[in-house]
Amino acid sequence: MPSAKDEHDFSYRRDIRSVFKLNNWILGSIGIWPVTIRGIRRHVYKIAIAVCNLTFSFALVPCALHIIYDEKDIIIRLKIGGLLLFCLISMIKYCILAIRRPKILRCIEYMKSDWWQVTFKSDREVMLKYAAISRNLTIIGASFMYTAGIIYYLIVVPFFFEHKVNNQTIRPLVFPIYSKFHQFQISPIYEIVYVAHCMCGYMIYSVTAGACGLAALFATHACGQIEMIVSRLEDLVNGARCKQSPKIHQRIAAIVKDHVRIVKFAIVVEEVLREVCLVEFISSVCTICLLEYSCIVDWQQDNKLSLANYFMFFVSLCFNIYILCYIGELLMEKSSQIGYTCYMINWYQLSPKSSRSLILIIAIASHPIKLSAGGMVDLSLLTFGNVLKTSVAYLSFLRTLVM
């Protein structure tokens, strides 16, 4: 018969694998997910980061030269510029996440410690519920992003972008190349470059989906911990769940300790995501605007396949910024609930000394936990609406300028 400790250890390992699996797959493939490895293998992530940055640069530099020196059509320039901007922003986010790897590891250790300390079945169910929310958000966002990328890279570009110049067929690349580099049309160089561009595309979509998945993972975990604190506050007077702490001041001390731990965890999460959210917030306005413009142009030209692809990219980017704003809203709402619950319980049945202990909890909860874009804009559903409105305003300006 397995002991209670063995059962707890088995349950813990199973839950940890389930919670981190998706994020490990996405971010681990590009060297961002921190893994504790000893020996020479602990330097593998450095090699992966260097290779990824070289791949980004390999796609960015020739494409930028093509826009500056070769392309004269303003509409095509805008389309390629949107692709180039998306790649550049992904590279910046990748570098930020690479720098923040130690803090990401710290957040992961926070989460592992919380899962290890779970004792009540109800608490575990709450944590699993929020882990499922994180997993579903990550799956939906990654599915949109990877599906749009596969269609564009493996169907649209190779089969629909070929054109002829001086009776010569020019084989297309995902990222256009500066015309002085003639050798890129020669086999097998063309195939090697195309594969490198596909690798760059995979990294772009992995960084975008992985950053949103990471934010969802940490924020929903904090929400789960807050809900557990709320349930303990609701049970504070009766103490039915806390038989091991029969004294009221011990139960209050445990609640305060857990509340402080969540606040500290949220501070580290904010440090990890602050710059990523800022870059995502600023870039999404421009990128969504360019995608809207591309959809309008393809609609006018009756280019249905390209329209469908750009529309899928548009939905993917909108959903990614929505994830960040949604979890920011959820975190603010949940953290504010602690103070509200403190006031709504039968605190008047407690002794005056114990009642006064709740004042500090209410004071801390009056400043809810927030996710911000660089400390300048709080992420909320209102922010998401502002992003869409701003992108439409820029679209109107762009159409007036170009047409």
Side-chain angles (χ1 to χ4, degrees), residues 130 219-230 233 259 262-263 266 327-342 360-371 379:
Y130 281 95
T220 53
H221 177 77
C223 290
Q225 297 300 302
I226 291 170
E227 188 166 317
M228 289 162 55
I229 287 180
V230 169
L233 282 169
H259 191 195
I262 292 173
V263 172
I327 61 177
E329 181 85 17
L330 184 64
L331 198 55
M332 280 193 290
E333 180 184 337
K334 283 292 180 183
S335 56
S336 300
Q337 192 177 354
I338 294 177
Y340 177 78
T341 305
C342 279
L360 183 59
I361 300 177
I362 296 174
I364 296 175
S366 64
H367 300 281
I369 299 170
K370 299 178 181 179
L371 289 180
L379 296 180

Side-chain angles (χ1 to χ4, degrees), residues 162-282:
E162 285 191 357
H163 60 280
K164 291 192 175 185
V165 177
N166 297 327
N167 293 326
Q168 283 189 334
T169 300
I170 303 299
R171 293 187 290 180
L173 290 165
V174 179
F175 296 91
I177 300 292
Y178 183 40
S179 60
K180 297 295 183 181
F181 303 147
H182 302 290
Q183 63 272 27
F184 284 120
Q185 287 293 315
I186 304 172
S187 295
I189 298 177
Y190 172 81
E191 286 76 13
I192 294 172
V193 173
Y194 196 89
V195 170
H197 284 184
C198 289
M199 289 176 57
C200 181
Y202 173 77
M203 289 183 291
I204 290 172
Y205 305 132
S206 296
V207 169
T208 305
C212 292
L214 198 67
L217 175 70
F218 294 154
T220 53
H221 177 77
C223 290
Q225 297 300 302
I226 291 170
E227 188 166 317
M228 289 162 55
I229 287 180
V230 169
S231 66
R232 289 172 191 164
L233 282 169
E234 293 171 342
D235 189 58
L236 180 63
V237 177
N238 297 326
R241 295 182 56 208
C242 301
K243 296 179 181 178
Q244 72 273 25
S245 302
K247 295 182 179 180
I248 189 70
H249 71 271
Q250 292 178 341
R251 297 201 290 272
I252 293 176
I255 290 171
V256 171
K257 180 181 177 181
D258 290 340
H259 191 195
V260 170
R261 179 177 174 81
I262 292 173
V263 172
K264 289 181 178 179
F265 174 72
I267 290 173
V268 181
V269 172
E270 168 72 9
E271 291 175 355
V272 170
L273 300 174
R274 184 185 299 143
E275 293 87 358
V276 172
C277 291
L278 177 62
V279 172
E280 187 74 34
F281 176 78
I282 295 173

Side-chain angles (χ1 to χ4, degrees), residues 37-317:
I37 301 175
R38 296 180 179 179
I40 194 171
R41 289 190 300 167
R42 71 179 183 273
H43 300 295
V44 170
Y45 83 92
K46 297 179 182 178
I47 299 173
I49 290 173
V51 170
C52 288
N53 281 313
L54 285 173
T55 306
F56 275 124
S57 302
F58 182 78
L60 278 169
V61 175
C63 184
L65 292 174
H66 172 79
I67 294 175
I68 295 171
Y69 295 109
D70 292 339
E71 192 57 60
K72 304 303 179 184
D73 190 324
I74 186 65
I75 294 177
I76 298 178
R77 268 190 172 185
L78 287 172
K79 283 188 174 184
I80 300 174
L83 178 65
L84 189 67
L85 176 64
F86 189 34
C87 181
L88 178 62
I89 293 302
S90 298
M91 184 177 180
I92 293 172
K93 288 191 291 186
Y94 181 79
C95 293
I96 293 170
L97 289 174
I99 294 171
R100 296 298 187 192
R101 281 183 87 257
K103 291 189 182 295
I104 294 174
L105 178 60
R106 188 177 169 189
C107 291
I108 292 171
E109 295 300 329
Y110 261 103
M111 291 181 62
K112 287 182 177 180
S113 177
D114 290 337
W115 278 96
W116 178 256
Q117 294 173 17
V118 172
T119 53
F120 294 105
K121 183 180 178 181
S122 58
D123 289 345
R124 181 173 177 270
E125 289 174 352
V126 168
M127 294 175 71
L128 287 174
K129 180 183 76 172
Y130 281 95
I133 293 174
S134 168
R135 185 164 53 250
N136 291 337
L137 290 174
T138 305
I139 288 173
I140 296 172
S143 298
F144 272 118
M145 191 62 63
Y146 285 127
T147 302
I150 289 171
I151 293 174
Y152 182 74
Y153 279 67
L154 301 183
I155 298 176
V156 176
V157 173
F159 295 106
F160 295 91
F161 277 8
E162 285 191 357
H163 60 280
K164 291 192 175 185
V165 177
N166 297 327
N167 293 326
Q168 283 189 334
T169 300
I170 303 299
R171 293 187 290 180
L173 290 165
V174 179
F175 296 91
I177 300 292
Y178 183 40
S179 60
K180 297 295 183 181
F181 303 147
H182 302 290
Q183 63 272 27
F184 284 120
Q185 287 293 315
I186 304 172
S187 295
I189 298 177
Y190 172 81
E191 286 76 13
I192 294 172
V193 173
Y194 196 89
V195 170
H197 284 184
C198 289
M199 289 176 57
C200 181
Y202 173 77
M203 289 183 291
I204 290 172
Y205 305 132
S206 296
V207 169
T208 305
C212 292
L214 198 67
L217 175 70
F218 294 154
T220 53
H221 177 77
C223 290
Q225 297 300 302
I226 291 170
E227 188 166 317
M228 289 162 55
I229 287 180
V230 169
S231 66
R232 289 172 191 164
L233 282 169
E234 293 171 342
D235 189 58
L236 180 63
V237 177
N238 297 326
R241 295 182 56 208
C242 301
K243 296 179 181 178
Q244 72 273 25
S245 302
K247 295 182 179 180
I248 189 70
H249 71 271
Q250 292 178 341
R251 297 201 290 272
I252 293 176
I255 290 171
V256 171
K257 180 181 177 181
D258 290 340
H259 191 195
V260 170
R261 179 177 174 81
I262 292 173
V263 172
K264 289 181 178 179
F265 174 72
I267 290 173
V268 181
V269 172
E270 168 72 9
E271 291 175 355
V272 170
L273 300 174
R274 184 185 299 143
E275 293 87 358
V276 172
C277 291
L278 177 62
V279 172
E280 187 74 34
F281 176 78
I282 295 173
S283 66
S284 57
V285 174
C286 301
T287 309
I288 289 174
C289 170
L290 290 172
L291 284 173
E292 289 169 341
Y293 181 76
S294 299
C295 288
I296 292 173
V297 171
D298 287 334
W299 178 278
Q300 293 173 342
Q301 296 175 352
D302 198 28
N303 192 343
K304 296 179 181 178
L305 182 63
S306 181
L307 172 63
N309 193 249
Y310 279 124
F311 182 75
M312 189 171 289
F313 275 122
F314 169 75
V315 173
S316 301
L317 289 179

